[in-house]
Amino acid sequence: MKITAQEEYGLRCLLQLAQADPESGLPVKEIASREGLSPAYVEKLLRLMGKAGLIHSIRGVHGGYRLTRKPTEISLGDVVRALSSLPSTEEICDRHTGNLEHCVHMSDCSIRSAWTTLTEAVGRFMEQVFIADLIGPERTVAKRLHARIETPFQV
Amino acid sequence: MKITAQEEYGLRCLLQLAQADPESGLPVKEIASREGLSPAYVEKLLRLMGKAGLIHSIRGVHGGYRLTRKPTEISLGDVVRALSSLPSTEEICDRHTGNLEHCVHMSDCSIRSAWTTLTEAVGRFMEQVFIADLIGPERTVAKRLHARIETPFQV
DNA sequence: CTAATACTTGACTAAAAAGTCATGTTTTCG
DNA sequence: CGAAAACATGACTTTTTAGTCAAGTATTAG
């Protein structure tokens, strides 16, 4: 259970766009150099987010990428879904069938309860956090997230 | 952000041990056939959990694997750590440095706040759930987890 | 003491994810 | 109209993760 490379780098690229002038857009090269990534890789990440409708591009000399929506209207969940996927219980059950066609625990699976509980909580978090919330100094952002989502997983 | 195959299958194998007679232990072959996995793969998963000290084995004709601790004393976090790792913020920052030696956001990273918040919540969940909690019918387990962890990520 | 059961290990292969490359298209500046 | 800037894309290579294999060692029943 980890944050994947695509999720991490894709989010960073999107955040660059969110912080750039919304009128002019940002060229791939510029994003790549700001993040220390190869332009080819940044293209690929932007492509994924473009397919998901989060960004669009303008070709030609003064081209570049821009957000299609405001940073207040793009959730962390939107971004992660574009780049890989949020964990979903169905996916786990469908993919992890071992050597058989169906999972042996199909009808009654206690592990499913655990993943569902976890998965739903992670999903809720990701839908409540917006790109706009992630702009600013680290401390400020941390406070903002904690204020928004009080006592996550309270005991 | 997903549950990995190793985490899923490893947990299933451990749960088989938790449900088996603690005196006699369970042979690899038996676990494999109950879960629809290859014996070779089950060996590998058990090896990982053995290294983490969660289980131990007895060789010979009446051998097999057993838990070293009671199911009430093994957390979901213990299992996931043995099989892959819980997401940790340091790991993300160390591994995702792009083409550079250090991450460009080293000194001040707002994304780190988001991953830290999420990561800590997931970690708390995993430490609060024990293998013993996962034994029983799906509905029962679901209720148990929800009762234990009220309104996770409350709005 | 030997055959059968069962764990042990390191090296191997296969599949998926991450990241790159080459080639092409669009737009604008001079 | 070129040349340059910048996006577009499919195929490719590399790396990581998943899963298998072969050749062991330990234990016990007979």
Side-chain angles (χ1 to χ4, degrees):
Chain A
M1 177 126 218
K2 302 189 188 158
I3 306 297
T4 67
Q6 273 192 27
E7 287 162 355
E8 172 71 18
Y9 292 135
L11 177 59
R12 285 190 202 170
C13 293
L14 198 80
L15 226 39
Q16 287 291 348
L17 295 183
Q19 289 173 276
D21 176 9
E23 296 312 308
S24 61
L26 218 51
V28 168
K29 252 181 156 175
E30 181 60 27
I31 300 172
S33 92
R34 287 192 195 175
E35 290 296 339
L37 301 172
S38 76
Y41 189 32
V42 171
E43 298 257 30
K44 184 182 182 174
L45 297 171
L46 295 178
R47 212 191 306 186
L48 287 168
M49 293 191 284
K51 269 187 190 162
L54 302 179
I55 58 178
H56 71 277
S57 58
I58 294 166
R59 289 185 157 195
V61 172
H62 295 311
Y65 281 87
R66 306 181 200 180
L67 301 184
T68 49
R69 283 182 268 157
K70 281 179 279 181
T72 50
E73 293 168 350
I74 300 175
S75 74
L76 188 51
D78 293 330
V79 181
V80 171
R81 262 190 303 276
L83 293 162
S84 61
S85 65
L86 284 175
S88 87
T89 312
E90 299 82 58
E91 201 192 359
I92 296 167
C93 296
D94 286 351
R95 290 185 52 168
H96 298 157
T97 62
N99 296 327
L100 309 168
E101 196 182 344
H102 297 295
C103 174
V104 287
H105 301 284
M106 213 49 163
S107 59
D108 189 81
C109 175
S110 60
I111 298 180
R112 187 158 46 199
S113 295
W115 294 154
T116 301
T117 304
L118 178 61
T119 281
E120 285 175 359
V122 170
R124 272 197 295 283
F125 175 80
M126 296 242 190
E127 297 313 327
Q128 285 173 20
V129 174
F130 294 87
I131 295 309
D133 297 323
L134 298 180
I135 293 172
E138 184 167 354
R139 287 290 300 132
T140 310
V141 170
K143 277 182 197 163
R144 199 179 286 155
L145 297 184
H146 280 97
R148 167 95 30 104
I149 297 136
E150 286 179 53
T151 57
F153 283 121
Q154 63 175 171
V155 185
Chain B
M1 178 123 215
K2 304 190 188 157
I3 307 299
T4 67
Q6 272 191 27
E7 286 161 356
E8 172 71 18
Y9 293 135
L11 176 59
R12 286 189 202 170
C13 293
L14 198 80
L15 225 41
Q16 287 291 348
L17 296 183
Q19 289 172 276
D21 176 11
E23 295 313 306
S24 61
L26 217 51
V28 168
K29 252 181 157 177
E30 181 61 26
I31 300 172
S33 90
R34 288 193 193 175
E35 289 295 339
L37 300 172
S38 76
Y41 190 31
V42 171
E43 299 259 28
K44 185 182 179 173
L45 296 171
L46 295 177
R47 210 189 311 185
L48 288 168
M49 294 191 284
K51 269 186 192 163
L54 302 180
I55 59 178
H56 72 278
S57 58
I58 295 165
R59 290 184 158 195
V61 172
H62 296 311
Y65 281 87
R66 307 182 199 181
L67 300 184
T68 49
R69 284 181 268 157
K70 279 178 279 179
T72 51
E73 293 168 352
I74 301 175
S75 73
L76 189 51
D78 292 330
V79 181
V80 171
R81 262 191 302 277
L83 294 162
S84 62
S85 65
L86 284 175
S88 87
T89 311
E90 299 81 60
E91 201 190 356
I92 295 168
C93 295
D94 285 351
R95 291 185 53 169
H96 298 158
T97 62
N99 296 327
L100 309 168
E101 195 182 344
H102 297 296
C103 174
V104 285
H105 302 284
M106 214 50 164
S107 59
D108 188 82
C109 176
S110 61
I111 298 180
R112 186 158 47 199
S113 295
W115 294 152
T116 301
T117 305
L118 178 61
T119 280
E120 284 174 0
V122 170
R124 272 196 296 282
F125 176 79
M126 296 242 191
E127 296 314 328
Q128 284 173 20
V129 174
F130 294 87
I131 295 310
D133 297 322
L134 298 179
I135 292 171
E138 184 168 354
R139 288 289 301 130
T140 311
V141 170
K143 276 182 199 166
R144 200 179 286 154
L145 298 184
H146 280 98
R148 168 96 31 104
I149 296 136
E150 287 176 52
T151 57
F153 282 124
Q154 62 177 170
V155 186

